[in-house]
Amino acid sequence: MPHAKITQAYVDGLPFSDATIWHHDTELAGFNLAVGKRTRTFYAASETQGRFLRVKIGRSDLVRVNVARDLARNVLLPEIRAGVDPRTKHWSQDDDARTAMSQEARTALRAIRFQEKVERKARVLRDDPRPQPGQVETFAQTWHEYRHFGSKAKSSTLTEYERTLKVHVPDWFERATVEITPQDVLTTWRRLSRSSVVTAKALMRVVSAVMHDAQRREVITRVPTTSLPKGWSTVIRNPKRIKDVFHWWREVDRIDDLYSKSALKVLLLTGLRVGEVLSLRWEDVDLDAAKIYVRDPKRGLPRDVAISTWTVRQLKRLHEIKSGGFWVFPSHAHKGYRQKLPTITYKDQKWRPKDTRNEWDSIATEIGIPHAQRAAQMGHAAGNMTDSYVVTPDVRNAVQAVADEIMQRVKGAAV
């Protein structure tokens, strides 16, 4: 997280980034800039009543730095620190006075205020009005109602939902919603699930959400997705695993970057999530005790995790270099820990970094490691409070046994 005085020249000179990078202004605490793949966006952020609140001011191509900073200093940060969310306030005479000298500031602040959001929804309605009394609602209008009023999903997510619908059921948009029958839905499910159950599930989840919203508004009396096979939403493809760990290990050894190579091997030897391994700090690693401390796992319960002698060997090699400061797997490009790892390709096979987790679990199952021990290592729901942070000898022995089995399977794979 770089700290610098955010000026217009500073903002214009920043390159876009695949991973969001936060820049903090040294002149005004709480005034930040987020740089992503395509945009640079100003934010005002502070703590209020024990919770952290961040409010978007606007993109750098629409709001200049001095305007965004003035809004943050004079309006947004004082309101947040007073315990008020600026997005819940209506436009007032004070706002008129504050922005009287700058149309740019007025536009940015109006986009934050609650009343402006209500007006934007009203404009959407005027552009595509609801059916008049007695008029049959089409699926296109039903989708419009759900997208703008019935769903709380992000705009990008809803855009992807709409693309999914238009690709797989384009003819539905011209039909009346009440005419879409359970048989239509079931036929579509069968057609898609023959080639991809994942695609069929994705489409039916969208259709189910839209239809339930239509039922709530009394457009239809029955949701047609009830005709789907029992348990359709839990039908998944077989979890992806590596299987051919010998050639996976050989291809990993061909990677030039030492940190990526070591991170992938640690993932396979520990069964941890990609984010848990990449965000490791050296202060979280105890090589003498053969354990690491996972700070922010998916379920929000920090825990100690056992590591094998093979993993200790991988980490010791990095510790001797320690060129990334306090990060175990640093990214010199982003001045933090690396955000992603390469996909391993061998012939027609492609193995993603997260496939190592499924492979570890599969190998552990094959050699007879009990479910409770696998769950404890992988960070699944713990049985009691002690299980969430104590590395028991049983788990340590299980982790060592899985690592020994993996190293036996990759014996001779080193390039």
Side-chain angles (χ1 to χ4, degrees), residues 45-54 80 83-88:
S46 184
E47 288 191 3
T48 173
Q49 300 177 354
R51 69 187 183 97
F52 182 75
L53 185 63
R54 178 184 290 138
I80 294 174
V84 178
D85 188 338
R87 296 166 296 190
T88 64

Side-chain angles (χ1 to χ4, degrees), residues 6-306:
I6 299 178
T7 64
Q8 194 65 50
Y10 179 81
V11 173
D12 294 340
L14 289 174
F16 293 115
S17 169
D18 289 337
T20 301
I21 301 178
W22 290 91
H23 298 258
H24 299 271
D25 189 32
T26 55
E27 181 179 286
L28 176 62
F31 179 55
N32 306 325
L33 174 70
V35 179
K37 290 183 179 181
R38 290 180 289 274
T39 60
R40 308 179 187 93
T41 309
F42 298 112
Y43 287 87
S46 184
E47 288 191 3
T48 173
Q49 300 177 354
R51 69 187 183 97
F52 182 75
L53 185 63
R54 178 184 290 138
V55 178
K56 177 181 175 180
I57 302 174
R59 301 201 318 259
S60 63
D61 57 334
L62 301 177
V63 185
R64 289 172 296 171
V65 173
N66 59 336
V67 174
R69 181 183 283 106
D70 288 343
L71 278 177
R73 177 189 289 117
N74 301 325
V75 182
L76 303 178
L77 290 175
E79 290 178 358
I80 294 174
R81 289 163 184 164
V84 178
D85 188 338
R87 296 166 296 190
T88 64
K89 292 189 63 176
H90 292 266
W91 187 264
S92 64
Q93 292 182 350
D94 290 339
D95 294 331
D96 266 327
R98 289 165 177 158
T99 60
M101 303 300 292
S102 172
Q103 182 60 41
E104 194 174 329
R106 181 183 294 263
T107 302
L109 186 56
R110 275 195 174 276
I112 297 171
R113 294 306 192 203
F114 176 77
Q115 186 62 34
E116 176 64 16
K117 295 180 179 180
V118 174
E119 291 174 359
R120 283 205 299 270
K121 287 188 174 181
R123 285 199 296 273
V124 169
L125 274 179
R126 289 195 294 270
D127 294 339
D128 190 2
R130 294 174 178 174
Q132 299 300 317
Q135 181 183 354
V136 177
E137 181 172 302
T138 65
F139 185 75
Q141 292 168 325
T142 300
W143 164 251
H144 180 272
E145 286 289 323
Y146 173 77
R147 173 166 187 166
H148 295 289
F149 304 101
S151 175
K152 295 182 180 179
K154 296 188 297 184
S155 177
S156 58
T157 302
L158 291 167
T159 300
E160 181 61 25
Y161 286 170
E162 184 170 350
R163 187 197 68 80
T164 301
L165 289 168
K166 289 186 175 180
V167 167
H168 299 293
V169 286
D171 56 309
W172 286 12
F173 282 83
E174 301 301 323
R175 298 172 58 182
T177 304
V178 294
E179 294 177 355
I180 299 175
T181 65
Q183 186 60 39
D184 293 330
V185 173
L186 185 57
T187 301
T188 303
W189 164 265
R190 288 172 176 168
R191 172 172 56 85
L192 293 177
S193 60
R194 289 191 193 102
S195 57
S196 173
V197 174
V198 175
T199 301
K201 280 179 57 178
L203 175 65
M204 291 306 155
R205 282 176 176 164
V206 179
V207 171
S208 180
V210 174
M211 291 301 187
H212 274 94
D213 184 63
Q215 184 186 47
R216 178 185 60 80
R217 295 186 293 106
E218 300 182 353
V219 174
I220 58 177
T221 57
R222 179 189 177 189
V223 176
T225 51
T226 54
S227 64
L228 292 173
K230 185 178 180 180
W232 69 269
S233 60
T234 60
V235 176
I236 59 173
R237 58 184 175 182
N238 294 329
K240 182 74 178 293
R241 57 177 291 193
I242 297 173
K243 294 183 181 179
D244 191 352
V245 291
F246 178 89
H247 285 101
W248 179 89
W249 193 279
R250 172 164 289 184
E251 294 303 318
V252 168
D253 262 338
R254 296 182 191 276
I255 298 175
D256 293 331
D257 180 61
L258 176 62
Y259 291 107
S260 295
K261 181 189 306 185
S262 298
L264 287 167
K265 291 180 178 179
V266 170
L267 282 171
L268 180 63
L269 292 168
T270 59
L272 298 181
R273 299 179 179 92
V274 177
E276 292 173 348
V277 168
L278 292 185
S279 60
L280 275 178
R281 308 180 185 195
W282 281 116
E283 64 189 49
D284 303 330
V285 179
D286 189 341
L287 296 177
D288 294 329
K291 66 180 182 179
I292 57 179
Y293 179 72
V294 179
R295 288 174 175 268
D296 189 24
K298 184 177 180 181
R299 295 184 178 275
L301 289 173
R303 70 188 193 281
D304 281 351
V305 175

